[in-house]
């Protein structure tokens, strides 16, 4: 039986979201069980439904919270205050490290893509989070062009998709890739090589 929790709505919701994130990342939307989420959160199903309504709405809340965490962390890079090349380097390194530290984010994205983004399409908050982020990359590109080091015409959205893809594909396919190429791609040396390769690749594309 779940341990009763104090009547603190903010903490209760935080506890439920943390438990739901773990359950959805482990089992996907279809395999996740509200009973397990409630038990992990030390709550009861009635409280969970009171705050979130149903499992689908809880999944959307988890997605919004997950996007909010990575976008908030990216703001901590202070890209507007650094040299454009250094800013790009930081962004590539941050994306790589964030995915390493938060594999649940990738599995949540996988789950939502299986559902063709059905849940986040209903979100008003997620687009609001991404607009300032893309503007931040646009600023890096603009300053790089002004300095004479970056070429013109680079689309910030396409660039970020490429940066994310370089990290995501390597990490999400590391088991098959390691087997096919007979190389432990998650060994420290190979991970360091991969990060250097990604930084060089992105900066090489941007430079004039």
């Amino acid at each position: 039986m779940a341990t009763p929790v104090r009547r603190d709505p903010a903490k209760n919701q935080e506890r439920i979201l943390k438990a739901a994130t773990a359950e959805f990342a482990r089992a996907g939307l279809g395999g996740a069980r509200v009973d397990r989420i409630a038990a992990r959160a030390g709550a009861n199903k009635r409280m969970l439904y009171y705050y979130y309504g149903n499992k689908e709405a809880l999944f959307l809340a988890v997605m919004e919270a997950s996007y909010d965490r990575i976008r908030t962390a990216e703001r901590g890079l202070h890209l507007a205050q650094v040299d454009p090349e250094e800013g790009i380097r930081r962004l590539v390194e941050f994306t790589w490290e964030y995915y390493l530290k938060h594999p649940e984010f990738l599995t949540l994205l996988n789950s939502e893509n299986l559902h063709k983004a059905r849940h986040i399409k209903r979100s008003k908050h997620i687009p609001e989070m991404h607009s300032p982020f893309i503007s931040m990359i646009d600023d890096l590109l603009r300053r790089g062009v002004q300095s004479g080091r970056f070429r013109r015409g680079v689309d910030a959205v396409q660039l970020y998709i490429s940066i994310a893809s370089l990290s995501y594909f390597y990490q999400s396919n590391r088991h098959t890739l390691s087997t096919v190429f007979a190389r432990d791609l998650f060994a420290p040396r190979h991970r360091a090589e991969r990060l250097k390769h990604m930084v060089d690749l992105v900066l090489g594309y941007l430079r004039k």
Side-chain angles (χ1 to χ4, degrees):
M1 179 180 295
T3 304
V5 295
R6 294 182 298 173
R7 293 182 179 278
D8 185 330
K11 288 187 177 180
N12 288 345
Q13 290 179 67
E14 180 181 353
R15 190 180 294 110
I16 290 169
L17 278 179
K18 184 176 180 180
T21 299
E23 175 69 4
F24 286 130
R26 185 191 68 83
L29 176 61
R33 295 292 176 263
V34 172
D35 287 341
R36 289 198 293 260
I37 294 171
R40 185 189 288 262
N44 56 60
K45 289 171 65 175
R46 184 171 60 182
M47 178 183 291
L48 190 150
Y49 289 130
Y50 172 77
Y51 287 125
Y52 296 102
N54 55 47
K55 187 171 79 166
E56 299 260 340
L58 178 57
F59 182 75
L60 173 56
V62 165
M63 292 301 302
E64 289 180 333
S66 298
Y67 274 116
D68 182 62
R69 281 191 292 272
I70 187 171
R71 296 289 90 93
T72 298
E74 283 159 344
R75 289 197 295 273
L77 297 174
H78 305 295
L79 299 185
Q81 302 168 23
V82 298
D83 174 82
E85 289 198 7
E86 174 60 23
I88 294 296
R89 183 184 305 275
R90 285 189 188 183
L91 182 58
V92 175
E93 291 174 349
F94 168 85
T95 304
W96 171 255
E97 294 293 339
Y98 192 90
Y99 289 178
L100 284 174
K101 293 175 183 176
H102 301 278
E104 77 284 353
F105 181 61
L106 302 185
T107 55
L108 289 169
L109 291 178
N110 288 341
S111 184
E112 180 64 346
N113 274 291
L114 287 174
H115 295 277
K116 300 181 180 179
R118 183 177 77 221
H119 304 87
I120 67 172
K121 284 177 181 177
R122 303 200 307 265
S123 174
K124 296 179 180 178
H125 304 300
I126 290 175
E128 293 173 354
M129 298 176 203
H130 285 72
S131 181
F133 175 62
I134 294 302
S135 295
M136 184 171 64
I137 298 175
D138 260 328
D139 177 66
L140 282 175
L141 296 174
R142 177 184 55 78
R143 289 191 289 115
V145 170
Q146 288 177 344
S147 70
R149 286 174 289 169
F150 286 178
R151 64 191 186 87
R152 298 180 180 275
V154 177
D155 181 84
V157 171
Q158 290 287 4
L159 178 64
Y160 179 69
I161 291 172
S162 294
I163 290 171
S165 299
L166 288 168
S167 293
Y168 170 81
F169 185 85
Y170 187 95
Q171 294 188 32
S172 64
N173 293 278
R174 65 186 184 273
H175 300 296
T176 52
L177 292 172
S178 293
T179 300
V180 168
F181 295 112
R183 180 186 298 182
D184 181 4
L185 293 176
F186 247 48
R189 177 170 67 89
H190 293 309
R191 282 168 44 172
E193 288 173 352
R194 177 60 182 176
L195 179 55
K196 181 180 184 304
H197 174 79
M198 291 190 300
V199 170
D200 290 347
L201 194 67
V202 174
L203 285 176
Y205 164 72
L206 291 174
R207 288 173 178 144
K208 293 182 67 174

